[in-house]
């Protein structure tokens, strides 16, 4: 059974660690993330963007695949299936289909509209025990067609949205999707601390988890970050490993062209990244 992210994140916030959200792109990704989390005895959140959902044949297909694979592989750690940066319509659709968690990203709306729409998503989600993530400010860069200016979240707006019954809050604190530019100023810890203090200990979400220095991750967790999203780092590791396989011409040896063989180094590379992140985030054996 897939579980809401609520219990795992409340525990993480209480005990001072973070649960990883790893975005999935296909069957190999799903298998890699699930088996790595099981090996680490860590709760895990599988993130699905709208683009990745379309790529995999629609949210219904994704839900069926994840739920069935969790059972077939005998995964025992808590697993949440989460819509990442969803529109209002996608959030409602995923709640209906059986996702156990959704993000409604209304950060591009004026705050009052963001609040109204978030409220409607929460009402629908509550009926089904689905956890909800909201966003204030914006995450810089671009992910699957969702781009943001990197605007810092306003603590008062965070307080207003955190009081709507949401499970977790993503706040823009200078974080960016994709690789960080060399002149990146780092996370705005002062703002993060302020947001942590005004939002009544709600679990905070750090998007753009790729390439943030370890010490900065640890400091962010100490201010209330309880969920960290990672996508690009797994993509880079996967592609580099598959590239190596082809460059070494292993596809030309025997039945090396078999897609199961070609993709295995990539899958193993994702597993390595996921395990490393789980260790860094501190969620090992937190089930
Ligand atoms: P990265 O792609 O930078 O790891 O960010 C992932 C993310 O925030 C998903 O919402």
């Amino acid at each position: 059974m897939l579980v809401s992210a609520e219990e795992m994140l409340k525990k993480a916030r209480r005990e001072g660690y973070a649960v990883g959200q790893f975005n999935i792109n296909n069957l190999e990704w799903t298998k890699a993330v699930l088996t790595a989390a099981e090996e680490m005895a860590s709760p895990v959140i599988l993130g699905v963007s709208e683009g990745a959902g379309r790529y995999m044949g629609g949210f219904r297909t994704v839900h069926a695949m994840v739920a069935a694979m969790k059972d077939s592989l005998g995964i025992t750690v808590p697993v949440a299936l989460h819509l990442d940066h969803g529109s209002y319509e996608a959030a409602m659709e995923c709640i209906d289909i059986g996702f156990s968690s959704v993000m409604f990203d209304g950060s591009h709306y004026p705050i009052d509209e963001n609040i109204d729409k978030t409220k409607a998503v929460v009402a629908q989600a509550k009926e089904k025990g689905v956890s909800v993530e909201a966003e204030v400010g914006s995450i810089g860069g671009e992910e699957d067609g969702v781009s943001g200016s990197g605007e810092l979240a306003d603590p008062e707006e965070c307080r207003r949205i955190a009081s709507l019954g949401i499970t977790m809050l993503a706040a823009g604190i200078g974080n960016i999707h994709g690789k960080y530019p060399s002149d990146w100023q780092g996370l705005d810890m002062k703002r993060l601390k302020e947001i942590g203090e005004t939002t009544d200990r709600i679990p905070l979400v750090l998007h753009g988890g790729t390439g943030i220095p370890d010490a900065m991750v640890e400091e962010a967790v100490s201010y209330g970050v309880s969920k960290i999203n990672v996508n690009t780092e797994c993509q880079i590791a996967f592609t580099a490993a598959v590239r190596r396989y082809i460059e070494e011409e292993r596809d030309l040896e025997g039945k090396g062209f078999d897609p199961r063989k070609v993709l295995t180094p990539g899958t193993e590379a994702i597993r390595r990244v996921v395990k490393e992140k789980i260790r860094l985030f501190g969620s090992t054996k937190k089930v």
Side-chain angles (χ1 to χ4, degrees), residues 148-208:
S149 57
E151 178 202 346
L152 286 186
D154 173 64
E156 173 54 18
E157 292 185 359
C158 290
R159 189 196 58 73
R160 286 178 68 196
I161 217 154
S163 68
L164 302 176
I166 59 169
T167 317
M168 53 198 135
L169 176 67
I173 50 163
N175 41 342
I176 298 173
H177 286 131
K179 290 181 180 173
Y180 284 87
S182 53
D183 60 351
W184 181 52
Q185 301 296 305
L187 298 175
D188 191 325
M189 293 296 177
K190 193 165 159 271
R191 182 62 62 99
L192 172 61
K193 196 160 175 263
E194 224 179 308
I195 292 167
E197 283 159 4
T198 49
T199 50
D200 200 21
R201 298 192 60 79
I202 196 168
L204 300 175
V205 182
L206 179 60
H207 282 249

Side-chain angles (χ1 to χ4, degrees), residues 98-140:
F99 273 49
S100 59
S101 189
V102 293
M103 173 182 193
F104 162 59
D105 181 356
S107 60
H108 50 288
Y109 293 118
I111 186 66
D112 289 328
E113 194 172 351
N114 188 0
I115 286 178
D116 286 348
K117 289 192 159 73
T118 300
K119 234 190 238 174
V121 172
V122 168
Q124 189 80 1
K126 279 259 160 9
E127 276 183 32
K128 294 206 171 188
V130 170
S131 44
V132 176
E133 175 177 342
E135 180 171 319
V136 177
S138 77
I139 316 299

